[in-house]
Amino acid sequence: METILITGAAGQLGSELTLALANMHGGDRIIATDINEASACKFDYCRFMPLDVMDRQKMAEIVKTETVTQIYHLAAILSATSEKNPIFAWNLNMESLLSILEIAKEQKLNKIYWPSSIAVFGPNTPMQNTPQDCVMDPNTVYGISKQAGERWCAYYFEKYGVDVRSLRYPGLIGYKSMPGGGTTDYAVDIFHKAIEGEDFECFLSEDTYLPMMYMDDAIKATLDLMHAPAEQIKVRSSYNLGGISFSPKEIHECIKQHYPNFNISYKPDFRQEIADTWPDSIDDSAAQNDWGWQHSFGLEEMTKDILANLPAYLV
Ligand code: NAD
């Protein structure tokens, strides 16, 4: 029986992944942790412990005393926030990953999950249908930390046999919690404005295409990857993961079919520069071939689902 610890569980991804893991393994097998102690109230269906991932000793103690067998390490500083405080972001993103890989090695954990990102790509990466293996020259501190993290994951697998698995998520879009400072956050915010009857000012230009994914697909991909037999996991850095690719103009048009009076204006800021170095779309054939990945939600299905369900979360 597995005991699963999740770091950064109160974030946009963690809020949904923790629930999915509890549904699968039982809430008593799940230990949600986050630096934000006030988020404990979100986790009435499983256990919660406050944990700063920079505190390696405390983390190692929890893993030992609770006989943790798997860690999902989600705590990180995201792309836009990292650019405002690069050294802090580098230290947090790298030190926490290395602590977890060391704990996994020393305490012989069964599996580790750690998310990478399309931010590992850079200005010289092929933009269309970006391949699994290609030039990667990230020029954001977040992207540099994810690329270095991927190499560390592959290193711990090859040298020490740590079963660490990873996905390069595109921008994640969900309605159950707010995003945490990424370059694709506009694609969540836009739904809130439409439903609240307000105009939307977009921080990216109208034709900026980025790879995106509905949260349901991201959760499914994560669980599929983590439950695949080890011999099927051939990529030990991080798998490309494709979903949908759209521009602000396209998502606005899609929402307008449901909210005809919804207006958008464009005021690109520093996040435009980050977006300009990221791919337009992703080739995820390695994930398809190795462990059978297939996404379900297109732009229209996602839009319908969010517009149907988000109002209940805004009450
Ligand atoms: P988020 O910002 O919404 O959540 C991060 C969580 O980590 C927060 O609850 C925060 O309180 C917690 N945290 C911050 N510092 C901490 C610390 N020192 N100790 C413990 N907890 C701390 O982020 P998210 O969107 O849920 O992202 C989760 C992971 O997925 C990250 O590794 C991120 O890089 C990756 N990812 C996310 C996206 C996306 O679009 N959301 C895309 C690609 C990759």
Side-chain angles (χ1 to χ4, degrees), residues 8-14 34-36 51-54 73-78 92 115-117 142 146 169-172 178-180 184:
Q12 189 198 7
L13 174 63
D34 202 284
I35 196 170
N36 177 2
L51 174 67
D52 179 349
V53 289
M54 297 303 274
H73 176 37
L74 310 183
I77 306 296
L78 269 60
L92 193 138
S116 185
S117 159
Y142 177 70
K146 289 295 185 189
Y169 290 130
L172 302 181
M178 292 306 287
T184 52

Side-chain angles (χ1 to χ4, degrees), residues 184-249:
T184 52
D185 290 4
Y186 88 85
V188 176
D189 297 338
I190 194 169
F191 287 102
H192 287 252
K193 292 285 187 246
I195 285 170
E196 284 157 2
E198 291 177 31
D199 292 349
F200 180 62
E201 186 181 271
C202 186
F203 59 72
L204 297 181
S205 65
E206 61 179 359
D207 291 323
T208 305
Y209 280 83
L210 285 172
M212 302 277 192
M213 180 170 282
Y214 194 37
M215 190 60 86
D216 293 36
D217 271 336
I219 301 294
K220 181 177 178 302
T222 309
L223 298 178
D224 284 358
L225 174 80
M226 288 300 278
H227 290 92
E231 60 275 14
Q232 285 181 14
I233 309 301
K234 309 236 168 67
V235 175
R236 287 295 180 165
S237 50
S238 190
Y239 276 99
N240 269 10
L241 195 64
I244 333 166
S245 178
F246 58 80
S247 64
K249 189 176 168 189

Side-chain angles (χ1 to χ4, degrees), residues 69-182:
T69 57
Q70 296 186 17
I71 300 178
Y72 285 65
H73 176 37
L74 310 183
I77 306 296
L78 269 60
S79 56
T81 312
S82 290
E83 288 309 293
K84 293 181 184 157
N85 202 342
I87 302 302
F88 173 74
W90 169 261
N91 287 339
L92 193 138
N93 292 357
M94 291 321 305
E95 272 184 41
S96 63
L97 174 62
L98 282 170
S99 294
I100 281 167
L101 291 171
E102 272 297 293
I103 291 169
K105 181 183 89 173
E106 284 164 5
Q107 301 199 34
K108 300 193 175 16
L109 300 194
N110 292 347
K111 275 181 218 166
I112 301 295
Y113 178 71
W114 172 78
S116 185
S117 159
I118 55 163
V120 293
F121 301 116
N124 291 301
T125 296
M127 289 276 185
Q128 310 291 335
N129 221 16
T130 301
Q132 175 70 42
D133 297 307
C134 58
V135 172
M136 294 198 288
D137 55 348
N139 58 5
T140 62
V141 67
Y142 177 70
I144 297 169
S145 75
K146 289 295 185 189
Q147 192 191 36
E150 287 190 6
R151 299 319 317 153
W152 277 115
C153 289
Y155 185 91
Y156 270 74
F157 172 73
E158 284 156 19
K159 302 281 178 194
Y160 309 122
V162 173
D163 187 352
V164 50
R165 306 178 181 195
S166 176
L167 297 170
R168 288 175 185 152
Y169 290 130
L172 302 181
I173 305 174
Y175 60 85
K176 292 182 186 159
S177 59
M178 292 306 287

